[in-house]
């Protein structure tokens, strides 16, 4: 997911110099906001002469709606693998990327590729882009001042324990606006050990979230970045890279706001965002050129250094900034990775139940 604030809209890169012998093409990309380095697109255009139109979204649902409507006009999209890319794979809305002909494919993490095989046998349609966790970020000084010795700094108790949430409500708690992410996080808090979409498990998770609903200031997937950085929130649930961007922005502002990101000890969601070419893409050839470009170790390392998400290219690891490569919130240690939970694709009946449950939780009814 992360995934991812900033301004949504259109970035036209048509003013960059093109070599006079290169025929200008257009590549249309739809991606998460704050999910690429500042010079990634400009460098690609300079290398290839392909003009990039780059649109932004801040939720998988926005992308999914465009894809399901058809004729999105995009050549390349970046959904989260589970359950969104998986669902669109079943709807046959992607075309093969001819992955094994892409230079650099052999440098991708075999474990991450294997984790996608059940939805994409042979890794024919999806190229792993970034991966990370969904955990908690908190204002270290404010939370410590309120909770003192009672501060559970690495636990979902910060948001799901009613006694703690009531004490932190005044300085601000935010949860993601994502039924899957929040309900599975609540299941981790309950010690379930895996994502469970059965009616009983969802009711148990919903009860946890409903119990703290009066203490939650808002549900959002990206607003938390700036609010954490500005000191307007105490605790936020979000994508690892988003939360670490909040940490960086707070440090850059120099206003004494100290943000910590943790993968809760009870377990947390691990996700992979992938690149895919829509079945009706106007320019799939240019999309494949961009995928080859992303497989260059220095290119993807620069993106990870900028957005603070882990990438799947093993050859890029040595090129990462030291603080990125060794940050446990970006590249979790093996013991932490063993506690991470994946999000399987819910059945239609389960998805409807989850949607109704989420509506009730958010409305407080």
């Amino acid at each position: 997911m992360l995934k991812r604030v900033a301004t949504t809209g259109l970035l036209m890169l048509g003013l960059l110099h093109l070599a006079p012998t290169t025929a200008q093409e257009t590549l249309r990309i739809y991606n998460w906001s704050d999910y690429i380095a500042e010079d990634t697109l400009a460098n690609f255009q300079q290398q290839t002469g392909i003009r990039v139109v780059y649109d932004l979204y801040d939720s998988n649902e926005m992308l999914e709606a465009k894809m399901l409507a058809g004729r999105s006009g995009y050549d390349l999209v970046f959904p989260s693998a589970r359950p969104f890319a998986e669902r669109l794979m079943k709807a046959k809305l992607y075309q093969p990327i001819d992955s094994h002909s892409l230079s650099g494919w052999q440098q991708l993490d075999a474990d991450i590729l294997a984790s996608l095989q059940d939805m994409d046998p042979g890794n024919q349609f999806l190229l792993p882009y970034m991966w990370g966790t969904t955990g908690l970020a908190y204002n270290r000084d404010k939370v410590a001042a309120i909770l003192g010795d009672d501060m559970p700094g690495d636990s979902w108790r910060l948001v799901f324990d009613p006694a703690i949430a009531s004490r932190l409500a005044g300085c601000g708690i935010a949860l993601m606006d994502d039924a899957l992410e929040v309900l599975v996080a609540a299941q981790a808090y309950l010690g379930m050990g895996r994502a469970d979409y059965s009616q009983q498990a969802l009711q148990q998770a919903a009860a946890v979230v409903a119990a703290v609903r009066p203490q939650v200031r808002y549900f959002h997937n990206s607003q938390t970045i700036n609010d954490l950085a500005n000191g307007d929130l105490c605790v936020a649930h979000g994508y690892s890279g988003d939360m670490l961007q909040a940490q960086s922005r707070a440090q850059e502002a120099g206003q004494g706001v100290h943000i910590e990101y943790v993968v809760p000890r009870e377990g947390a969601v691990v996700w992979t965002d992938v690149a895919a070419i829509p079945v009706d893409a106007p320019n799939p050839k240019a999309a494949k050129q961009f995928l080859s470009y992303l497989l260059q170790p220095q290119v993807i390392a620069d993106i990870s250094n900028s957005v603070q998400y882990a990438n799947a290219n093993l050859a890029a690891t040595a090129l990462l900034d030291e603080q990125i490569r060794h940050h446990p919130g970006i590249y979790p240690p093996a013991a932490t990775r063993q506690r991470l939970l994946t999000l399987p694709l819910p059945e239609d009946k389960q998805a409807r139940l989850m949607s109704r449950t989420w509506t009730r939780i958010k409305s407080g009814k």
Side-chain angles (χ1 to χ4, degrees), residues 128-141:
Y129 178 58
M130 297 284 161
W131 67 274
T133 55
T134 313
L136 291 176
Y138 62 93
N139 186 312
R140 184 183 68 204
D141 299 329

Side-chain angles (χ1 to χ4, degrees), residues 163-183:
I164 290 176
S166 64
R167 296 167 66 184
L168 295 176
C171 66
I173 295 174
L175 296 178
M176 294 182 69
D177 189 4
D178 187 308
L180 274 172
E181 289 278 5
V182 176
L183 292 172

Side-chain angles (χ1 to χ4, degrees), residues 162-214:
I164 290 176
S166 64
R167 296 167 66 184
L168 295 176
C171 66
I173 295 174
L175 296 178
M176 294 182 69
D177 189 4
D178 187 308
L180 274 172
E181 289 278 5
V182 176
L183 292 172
V184 172
Q187 291 178 357
Y189 168 71
L190 291 171
M192 291 187 182
R194 65 181 181 87
D196 186 342
Y197 303 151
S198 67
Q199 183 172 0
Q200 180 180 3
L202 289 176
Q203 287 176 342
Q204 289 176 309
V208 168
V209 184
V212 297
R213 173 65 185 90

Side-chain angles (χ1 to χ4, degrees), residues 71-359:
R71 298 186 179 182
S72 68
Y74 294 110
D75 301 303
L76 197 59
V77 296
F78 291 81
S80 296
R82 300 177 190 276
F84 296 94
E86 183 176 10
R87 190 152 52 218
L88 295 179
M89 279 282 297
K90 290 189 174 183
K92 302 185 185 305
L93 293 179
Y94 300 132
Q95 61 177 275
I97 59 176
D98 196 19
S99 56
H100 299 287
S101 71
L102 299 175
S103 176
W105 179 266
Q106 70 280 2
Q107 299 165 347
L108 293 175
D109 188 319
D111 289 339
I112 293 178
L113 289 174
S115 74
L116 302 173
Q117 287 270 5
D118 61 329
M119 70 178 78
D120 180 18
N123 301 113
Q124 299 180 66
F125 294 85
L126 307 175
L127 186 147
Y129 178 58
M130 297 284 161
W131 67 274
T133 55
T134 313
L136 291 176
Y138 62 93
N139 186 312
R140 184 183 68 204
D141 299 329
K142 284 189 175 182
V143 171
I146 294 170
L147 298 182
D149 293 338
D150 296 331
M151 184 176 78
D154 63 345
S155 171
W156 287 113
R157 290 181 60 212
L158 277 176
V159 292
F160 292 137
D161 184 327
I164 290 176
S166 64
R167 296 167 66 184
L168 295 176
C171 66
I173 295 174
L175 296 178
M176 294 182 69
D177 189 4
D178 187 308
L180 274 172
E181 289 278 5
V182 176
L183 292 172
V184 172
Q187 291 178 357
Y189 168 71
L190 291 171
M192 291 187 182
R194 65 181 181 87
D196 186 342
Y197 303 151
S198 67
Q199 183 172 0
Q200 180 180 3
L202 289 176
Q203 287 176 342
Q204 289 176 309
V208 168
V209 184
V212 297
R213 173 65 185 90
Q215 320 304 335
V216 176
R217 182 173 294 178
Y218 62 74
F219 297 86
H220 204 277
N221 293 345
S222 57
Q223 182 180 337
T224 49
I225 299 177
N226 282 334
D227 286 350
L228 277 169
N230 296 335
D232 294 332
L233 279 180
C234 258
V235 186
H237 168 223
Y239 300 120
S240 52
D242 286 357
M243 302 297 93
L244 291 166
Q245 285 180 44
Q247 182 184 71
S248 296
R249 291 181 188 181
Q251 292 170 347
E252 291 166 3
Q255 299 300 311
V257 177
H258 301 104
I259 304 299
E260 300 287 346
Y261 173 75
V262 295
V263 178
R265 61 175 178 261
E266 300 94 342
V269 169
V270 61
W271 48 264
T272 302
D273 286 346
V274 296
I277 303 174
V279 69
D280 57 356
N283 195 350
K285 179 182 176 183
K288 293 175 184 179
Q289 286 181 264
F290 192 77
L291 293 179
S292 291
Y293 173 68
L294 289 180
L295 284 168
Q296 296 177 30
Q298 188 64 63
V299 171
I300 201 68
D302 288 344
I303 295 174
S304 282
N305 287 334
S306 176
V307 303
Q308 301 190 63
Y309 282 102
N311 68 71
N313 193 323
L314 296 178
T317 304
L319 304 174
L320 296 172
D321 293 341
E322 191 83 4
Q323 64 269 29
I324 299 293
R325 186 166 69 247
H326 297 299
H327 197 301
I330 302 175
Y331 286 92
T336 300
R337 293 184 71 167
Q338 290 177 1
R339 302 195 304 271
L340 298 178
L341 312 173
T342 58
L343 296 176
L345 180 67
E347 298 174 0
D348 290 344
K349 183 178 179 180
Q350 294 171 331
R352 289 193 296 271
L353 174 60
M354 202 174 303
S355 178
R356 291 195 301 270
T357 302
W358 189 237
T359 299

Side-chain angles (χ1 to χ4, degrees), residues 21-85:
T21 57
T22 303
Q24 189 176 30
E25 295 180 72
T26 298
L27 170 66
R28 290 178 170 82
I29 297 176
Y30 200 31
N31 198 359
W32 296 90
S33 49
D34 277 356
Y35 215 27
I36 206 162
E38 285 187 9
D39 60 354
T40 304
L41 302 179
N43 290 342
F44 172 75
Q45 181 167 321
Q46 188 173 25
Q47 286 184 25
T48 64
I50 297 174
R51 183 175 66 104
V52 180
V53 176
Y54 193 72
D55 283 353
L56 309 176
Y57 57 90
D58 64 4
S59 75
N60 277 295
E61 287 79 6
M62 290 177 65
L63 168 61
E64 187 174 50
K66 283 187 178 290
M67 291 289 293
L68 290 173
R71 298 186 179 182
S72 68
Y74 294 110
D75 301 303
L76 197 59
V77 296
F78 291 81
S80 296
R82 300 177 190 276
F84 296 94

